Amino acid sequence: MILRPPIVLVVLAGTGLIGLIATRLVREYWPRMALIGFLIGTLIYSGLGAAAPDVPGYYIVYYFVVTISFVFGYCTIYLLSVGFSRKVGNTLLGALSKTESARKWNIVIIAYILLQFFPLVYPEIKLTELLTPKAPNLIVAWQEQFREQEVNYILKLAEYVRILIFPFFLIALYRYRKRIVVLVFLLFLPIYAQHVIFGYVGRSPIGMALLLVFVSQWAMYPKSRTKIAIVGMIVLLLGLAGSYYYVIIRMGGRPENLNVIRASIRIITDEISFPTKVGVPLIESGQQADLLAFVRWIVTLPVPKIFTGEIPGARSNYDISEIILRVGTGERGWYVILPGLVAESVYIYGTRFFWIHGIFLGLLASISIRLVEKTPQLLFLQAYLLILFSYILNRAGIAALLPYIINYFILFYLFLIILVMTRPKERAAVKFRPRFP
């Protein structure tokens, strides 16, 4: 894809200026890193595509308005929550002080991984598939997802429990933060389980696991960041090439004879072309989300569907895919396509109020980071939130983000509320000691 150099320069300079001003206000490590991560993500997935020849001029205005709106919401909460962040940090420091040594955290890790493998032993034992995994097949996986089948309540309950303890799995990984081989093994074992069970696993879980390792090591070893960056660039290059080949293999094809550089360039081109392929066509379609259904979807997200069944609501990525592809969800030729954050904002709130999306997400990001920023034992939870707001939000939008922030963290929020209510002495006595520069 050919990009117009003047527009690229404007986007880079404008995003850089916004980041420079914002980071002058946000000075603490994790809030600043999360903000920088968001800006990099939105630049890649929504900004650079504005320089494509067929993208109209109004799009770049939308891009800067959404970016500034997010930063405004983010910085507002950051500046207003200094005392709140300190109190939560002191509370968690007292409660998690023995995370590195207490054996009970290993039980959390074992329980989480066993729950991942549970479908291989119930309702029938299929452990032999661990040694003979199927080749990835996206087509079959999609067909299975939309095929009507009887609900197995035991499997659903096991999945729900696994989701609830996921944040505690990340906390438990703190004891292995310096044992990189063990850490990678524990992160990729659940991914392998998903592949064996479903015959397919998306690229995002793999990318998130790699980013989790990179971000955590970057935070832990500030004096080694040059080496970490070099290793990260090599892994990124190989990962991009592997991603290209994986896209072809999962559709039943065979990779053509491309070298690593050319394969990487193809993936990069795809990742920055969201505005041209989906974003602008979606905006110019003039269609808008059903706000009432959208709010209903958000409100009912925490409700376990195991008891209620599916609750009608707007699933923005599915609805957007129907608009662009002109094919109903689950029908032949339908698949999920991603518009980028800017076009999503316009689709949900319209051309007059799209900036609300940026402010809402900025508030949400700042509150989330403030909850965990001052507790060293939450290293992997901090890194995970950074990845959600920099990568998942910008690539897959709010429909992918909110299930993580709401459903996956319900038990953690309850744990935090109980701590605040029952440990006032520890909260007052423990003093926060910065972990990272």
Side-chain angles (χ1 to χ4, degrees):
M1 181 171 65
I2 299 174
L3 301 179
R4 293 171 288 178
I7 304 299
V8 172
L9 183 61
V10 170
V11 171
L12 289 175
T15 307
L17 180 61
I18 294 170
L20 182 63
I21 295 171
T23 52
R24 298 280 291 182
L25 297 172
V26 179
R27 295 185 175 274
E28 293 174 281
Y29 181 81
W30 284 109
R32 175 179 280 193
M33 290 298 293
L35 181 57
I36 292 173
F38 169 81
L39 291 173
I40 293 173
T42 196
L43 173 67
I44 293 171
Y45 288 104
S46 295
L48 292 176
D54 52 348
V55 175
Y58 66 77
Y59 180 87
I60 196 171
V61 177
Y62 287 160
Y63 167 75
F64 281 120
V65 171
V66 170
T67 304
I68 292 171
S69 299
F70 180 94
V71 170
F72 173 77
Y74 190 94
C75 291
T76 298
I77 290 295
Y78 173 81
L79 295 173
L80 293 176
S81 60
V82 175
F84 166 78
S85 175
R86 187 179 296 114
K87 289 179 181 179
V88 172
N90 286 339
T91 299
L92 287 171
L93 274 170
L96 301 176
S97 59
K98 296 181 180 180
T99 303
E100 192 167 4
S101 58
R103 292 185 177 181
K104 63 184 179 182
W105 290 103
N106 272 336
I107 297 175
V108 174
I109 293 175
I110 294 170
Y112 180 79
I113 292 176
L114 288 178
L115 286 169
Q116 286 281 9
F117 284 93
F118 184 66
L120 291 177
V121 296
Y122 180 86
E124 58 180 301
I125 297 177
K126 297 182 290 185
L127 291 174
T128 55
E129 295 183 11
L130 289 171
L131 303 177
T132 57
K134 303 173 185 176
N137 192 318
L138 178 61
I139 297 173
V140 173
W142 274 112
Q143 289 174 343
E144 286 295 317
Q145 180 176 348
F146 292 104
R147 184 169 62 88
E148 288 189 13
Q149 28 189 333
E150 186 177 348
V151 176
N152 188 311
Y153 289 99
I154 294 179
L155 285 179
K156 283 290 184 181
L157 183 60
E159 180 184 7
Y160 192 61
V161 173
R162 176 182 61 80
I163 288 173
L164 290 176
I165 68 173
F166 175 70
F168 301 95
F169 169 72
L170 292 179
I171 296 172
L173 290 179
Y174 181 73
R175 64 193 296 124
Y176 299 109
R177 66 195 183 282
K178 296 180 181 179
R179 299 168 63 180
I180 191 74
V181 175
V182 176
L183 177 63
V184 171
F185 175 77
L186 292 175
L187 286 172
F188 276 88
L189 190 59
I191 295 175
Y192 180 70
Q194 292 298 300
H195 171 73
V196 172
I197 293 165
F198 299 107
Y200 168 76
V201 66
R203 291 176 294 166
S204 288
I206 299 172
M208 290 179 71
L210 291 172
L211 282 171
L212 202 57
V213 175
F214 175 80
V215 172
S216 62
Q217 300 305 300
W218 182 272
M220 286 173 53
Y221 302 111
K223 294 182 179 179
S224 302
R225 284 176 181 168
T226 301
K227 295 180 182 178
I228 294 171
I230 293 172
V231 173
M233 290 301 295
I234 295 172
V235 173
L236 176 63
L237 186 63
L238 295 175
L240 288 172
S243 178
Y244 173 76
Y245 297 132
Y246 185 64
V247 168
I248 297 174
I249 292 171
R250 71 183 185 179
M251 297 299 294
R254 293 184 178 181
E256 57 187 73
N257 188 22
L258 281 182
N259 60 36
V260 171
I261 301 297
R262 290 176 62 191
S264 300
I265 291 174
R266 288 209 176 181
I267 286 294
I268 292 172
T269 300
D270 287 342
E271 296 298 290
I272 67 174
S273 63
F274 284 19
T276 56
K277 291 183 177 179
V278 185
V280 171
L282 177 64
I283 293 172
E284 296 190 343
S285 73
Q287 297 203 47
Q288 188 175 340
D290 182 339
L291 276 178
L292 183 59
F294 178 67
V295 172
R296 187 191 306 123
W297 171 73
I298 294 176
V299 171
T300 59
L301 260 179
V303 178
K305 306 307 184 290
I306 185 175
F307 302 118
T308 64
E310 281 299 319
I311 300 175
R315 302 182 68 177
S316 56
N317 283 351
Y318 282 22
D319 296 338
I320 289 169
S321 299
E322 290 186 0
I323 292 170
I324 300 300
L325 298 174
R326 299 181 181 179
V327 177
T329 299
E331 294 180 6
R332 185 179 181 84
W334 181 92
Y335 58 96
V336 174
I337 53 178
L338 307 173
L341 191 59
V342 172
E344 178 185 80
S345 302
V346 176
Y347 170 71
I348 294 175
Y349 292 99
T351 56
R352 295 180 61 185
F353 299 105
F354 67 96
W355 48 269
I356 293 176
H357 200 48
I359 292 177
F360 169 72
L361 292 170
L363 296 173
L364 182 64
S366 194
I367 292 171
S368 301
I369 295 297
R370 277 304 210 181
L371 283 174
V372 302
E373 63 165 321
K374 294 187 182 296
T375 311
Q377 291 82 0
L378 299 183
L379 170 66
F380 292 98
L381 206 55
Q382 294 158 343
Y384 190 76
L385 287 171
L386 186 154
I387 294 165
L388 286 181
F389 285 102
S390 58
Y391 173 59
I392 294 298
L393 172 61
N394 281 294
R395 189 175 192 274
I398 193 170
L401 174 75
L402 283 189
Y404 287 110
I405 295 296
I406 296 177
N407 293 19
Y408 279 66
F409 284 75
I410 288 177
L411 192 57
F412 176 75
Y413 298 144
L414 180 60
F415 169 72
L416 185 56
I417 290 170
I418 292 173
L419 284 180
V420 171
M421 293 176 63
T422 61
R423 299 174 70 99
K425 293 181 180 180
E426 287 85 349
R427 187 178 72 242
V430 179
K431 294 183 179 180
F432 168 65
R433 296 181 296 277
R435 174 65 178 82
F436 303 115

